[in-house]
Every structure is written in structure tokens, then in C-alpha cells.
């Protein structure tokens, strides 16, 4: 088991209103990995971001070595490796059917979240360029993905009776929808998922990375 570093050697780039950034930040809190948070928007702070991240895609995690990682799924995979090295249980099982099942729940959460983000981008277009039929398709896909997760939520957690990355990713997605598109969430009839998200939002790791930063 490795000792915790004294300083904050990791640097996480991106606002917490990104559900992808937020699931990484929550995970780092749960694993006890201190990090510096660079709170820059890919839209509003392009000049400041350009020298750090000319891709304008977040999250981006800078490791103590200086290496930079993109794509929240790959970042989480690396964080799970670190957790295992430090003797912690990873939030995604390392192998077997458990790993596959948690991944598939995460896939549903990511579909719901990506469709919610796409609805938001559609709203950013000038009114005359917004495509109502496309938004309706996105809304249907988002609702369908949340409904499938709702069906799978029998107890307090989505898998195995304990917290996994499926719960975190789902709650981060719901947090985004509720924060950015409250009317959209009102149309998603998923009481069990709402209760799960409410519970996780009250936890220390979620409270440490508030959406309204
Ligand atoms: N699959 C990516 C999605 C990340 C993503 O779409 N991030 C958004 C913020 S929520 C972004 O960087 N948008 C700017 C852009 O795509 O140009 C991940 O999981 O890291």
C-alpha cells in the first residue's frame, strides 16, 4: 500500500457542471486522492484553456508525472488501478460477470447523460437553428436509458447492495439534468433513481464537488 502524497499532485481540468468531470472528482474523493481543480469552461474560458488543453475536451487529468489523460472512462480505469495498489476496493469490479454488469449499468447511465448533454447543446443554438424533432429523439433516448436504470434499481444501490461506479455515474448524470435542465428531469418519471441521487448528493464525496461552484 502506497502512502498518500503530501501535496496535491493530480490536476483535474473542467467544471463540475460536466457530469464526466464530476464523476472523476467524486471518485478521487472516495479514493482519498487529493487534486488541484482547474475550474475552466470549455466554452467561456477558451483563451485560458488553450495552452493547457487545446482539445477543449474535459475532463483532462494531469498525473504527477506530467502525463495527461482524457476520457473519463479511461481516467476512472486508472484511478481504480491506483485504488487497488493502495489496498482499496475498486468501484468497478476488476473481473468476471460483476465487472461486465457494472459496465453495462454505466453504459446506460452514459447514454442518458450523453443525450442530456446533447439536448443542452441543441438549446445553445440560435432559436431558428434548433431542430425540435432531433431534440425529441434525444429526449426519448435519455428517458429510455433512465427508465432501464430505474427498472434495475431494486435496493439502495444499482449493483451488489453496495456503492459502485454505476451509482456514481448515474447520480452525476442526474445531477447534471436537474441542475441544467430541471424541466427535463420533471419529465423523467424515475422515483427510485431520484432517491438514489438525493442520497448520493448528501454524501461527503458529492458535497465536496458541488455543481454550483
Ligand atoms: N466521453 C467523454 C465526454 C466528455 C465531454 O463530452 N465533455 C464535454 C463537457 S460535459 C466537453 O468537453 N465538451 C466540449 C466539446 O465537446 O467540445 C468523457 O467521458 O470524458
Amino acid at each position: 500500500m502506497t502512502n498518500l502524497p503530501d501535496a496535491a499532485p493530480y490536476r483535474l481540468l473542467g467544471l463540475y457542471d460536466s457530469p464526466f468531470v464530476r464523476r472523476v472528482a467524486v471518485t478521487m474523493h472516495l479514493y482519498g486522492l487529493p487534486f488541484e481543480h482547474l475550474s475552466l469552461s470549455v466554452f467561456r474560458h477558451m483563451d485560458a484553456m488553450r495552452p493547457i488543453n487545446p482539445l477543449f475536451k474535459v475532463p483532462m487529468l494531469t498525473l504527477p508525472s506530467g502525463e495527461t489523460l482524457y476520457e473519463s472512462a479511461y481516467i476512472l480505469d486508472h484511478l481504480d488501478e491506483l485504488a487497488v495498489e493502495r489496498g482499496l476496493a475498486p468501484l468497478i469490479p476488476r473481473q468476471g460477470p460483476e465487472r461486465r454488469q457494472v459496465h453495462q449499468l454505466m453504459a446506460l447511465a452514459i447514454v442518458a447523460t450523453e443525450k442530456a448533454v446533447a439536448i443542452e447543446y441543441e438549446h445553445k443554438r440560435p432559436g431558428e437553428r434548433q431542430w425540435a424533432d432531433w431534440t425529441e429523439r434525444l429526449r426519448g433516448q435519455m428517458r429510455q436509458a433512465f427508465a432501464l436504470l430505474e427498472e434495475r434499481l431494486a435496493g439502495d444501490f444499482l449493483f451488489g447492495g453496495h456503492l459502485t461506479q454505476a451509482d456514481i455515474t448515474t447520480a452525476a448524470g442526474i445531477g447534471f439534468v436537474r441542475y441544467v435542465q430541471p424541466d427535463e428531469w420533471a419529465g423523467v418519471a424515475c422515483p427510485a433513481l431520484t432517491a438514489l441521487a438525493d442520497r448520493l448528493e448528501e454524501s461527503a464525496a458529492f458535497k465536496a464537488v458541488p455543481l454550483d461552484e
Side-chain angles (χ1 to χ4, degrees):
M1 194 159 141
T2 316
N3 288 331
L4 269 179
D6 293 334
Y10 294 91
R11 200 174 64 176
L12 178 62
L13 177 67
L15 299 182
Y16 293 149
D17 71 1
S18 160
F20 309 104
V21 175
R22 198 164 181 235
R23 70 175 182 154
V24 169
V26 166
T27 301
M28 294 188 78
H29 276 278
L30 286 169
Y31 287 159
L33 289 167
F35 61 93
E36 181 191 344
H37 181 216
L38 262 68
S39 191
L40 294 177
S41 162
V42 284
F43 300 112
R44 284 178 285 115
H45 306 129
M46 289 184 74
D47 287 344
M49 188 172 294
R50 187 171 286 105
I52 309 167
N53 175 18
L55 266 185
F56 300 115
K57 196 79 188 170
V58 294
M60 184 186 92
L61 183 71
T62 307
L63 305 183
S65 62
E67 190 182 341
T68 50
L69 306 185
Y70 285 105
E71 274 293 329
S72 57
Y74 298 142
I75 295 173
L76 293 176
D77 192 56
H78 178 62
L79 296 178
D80 278 2
E81 271 184 349
L82 294 177
V84 170
E85 278 169 24
R86 295 175 50 225
L88 300 173
L91 285 157
I92 301 173
R94 295 311 275 170
Q95 58 192 16
E98 294 83 7
R99 180 172 174 82
R100 188 176 68 244
Q101 286 163 26
V102 169
H103 270 160
Q104 286 307 303
L105 290 164
M106 288 168 63
L108 292 175
I110 287 296
V111 171
T113 303
E114 283 179 348
K115 299 302 170 185
V117 171
I119 291 171
E120 185 57 21
Y121 288 168
E122 194 63 26
H123 288 160
K124 283 187 193 294
R125 291 170 181 269
E128 71 278 9
R129 301 220 173 143
Q130 290 182 18
W131 184 6
D133 289 350
W134 183 249
T135 304
E136 200 45 43
R137 178 194 156 97
L138 296 170
R139 181 174 293 122
Q141 289 174 295
M142 177 188 71
R143 290 184 178 178
Q144 182 62 36
F146 278 132
L148 289 170
L149 284 167
E150 176 84 1
E151 269 175 38
R152 299 288 297 275
L153 184 53
D156 281 350
F157 298 102
L158 279 160
F159 182 84
H162 57 86
L163 183 74
T164 68
Q165 188 56 243
D167 304 300
I168 296 168
T169 298
T170 299
I174 293 172
F176 170 80
V177 180
R178 291 210 285 196
Y179 183 70
V180 179
Q181 309 158 345
D183 292 347
E184 291 291 348
W185 186 250
V188 178
C190 292
L193 288 184
T194 303
L196 171 71
D198 285 346
R199 256 195 355 270
L200 290 191
E201 289 290 352
E202 282 305 306
S203 69
F206 272 76
K207 278 187 159 172
V209 294
L211 270 156
D212 56 350
E213 57 171 6

